[in-house]
Amino acid sequence: MKKALLFSAILLLAGCKNYDDFEFTGTVVDFEECTGSSFGYAVNLTSPDTIGGDYTTHDGDMYQNVVVIYGADRLLKEGANISGRIYLDPNYSRTECTWRYTDRDVPEAVFTKLKVE
C-alpha cells in the first residue's frame, strides 16, 4: 500500500510543470491561429523591453520587442492594452498547435495571469 501511494505521489509531481513567470505589459498587435478555437497573440511589450523580437503583422506593420503569447482565457482584440504574468515556452506552438508559423523569429510565451486594461 505504501509503495502504491509513493508511486502515485511521484507520478503527480512528475506531471507538474515548473516555470518562472514574470510580469509584463504591452499591446496586442496581431494574432495567430493555433487550433480551431485557440490563438496566440502577438504582443508588443513595453515591459520588459528587451526579450521580444521583430514582428510583421498580417497588415504589414513592423513592431519590435514582440512576443507571441498563448493560453488567454478570453478573446483579445488588436489594440488592447494588457498586462499580467507570462512564462517563456520556446516549443509551445510546436507541441500544442495545429498551425505553426515558421516565418518569424519571436519568443513564445504562455499567460499565467491576464488583465485587459
Side-chain angles (χ1 to χ4, degrees):
M1 179 72 170
K2 288 182 182 180
K3 286 183 182 180
L5 287 174
L6 180 62
F7 183 69
S8 296
I10 290 171
L11 286 177
L12 182 62
L13 290 174
C16 296
K17 288 187 176 185
N18 291 326
Y19 49 81
D20 291 322
D21 64 345
F22 54 91
E23 292 186 12
F24 80 96
T25 58
T27 303
V28 176
V29 295
D30 207 3
F31 72 94
E32 298 180 353
E33 192 167 357
C34 175
T35 62
S37 61
S38 176
F39 300 95
Y41 294 95
V43 178
N44 185 20
L45 298 177
T46 53
S47 175
D49 60 1
T50 59
I51 66 167
D54 295 338
Y55 185 90
T56 304
T57 67
H58 293 99
D59 294 335
D61 298 326
M62 283 278 303
Y63 292 91
Q64 296 177 328
N65 198 37
V66 172
V67 174
V68 175
I69 311 174
Y70 297 91
D73 59 359
R74 66 198 91 174
L75 290 176
L76 301 175
K77 294 182 181 180
E78 186 176 328
N81 292 318
I82 61 174
S83 61
R85 296 186 70 81
I86 58 174
Y87 66 92
L88 296 176
D89 185 347
N91 295 315
Y92 188 89
S93 67
R94 180 175 297 152
T95 60
E96 302 294 329
C97 296
T98 304
W99 294 279
R100 188 154 191 278
Y101 298 82
T102 58
D103 60 341
R104 60 166 171 73
D105 187 26
V106 297
E108 296 180 353
V110 180
F111 291 106
T112 57
K113 182 178 178 184
L114 172 61
K115 179 180 177 185
V116 178
E117 317 266 323

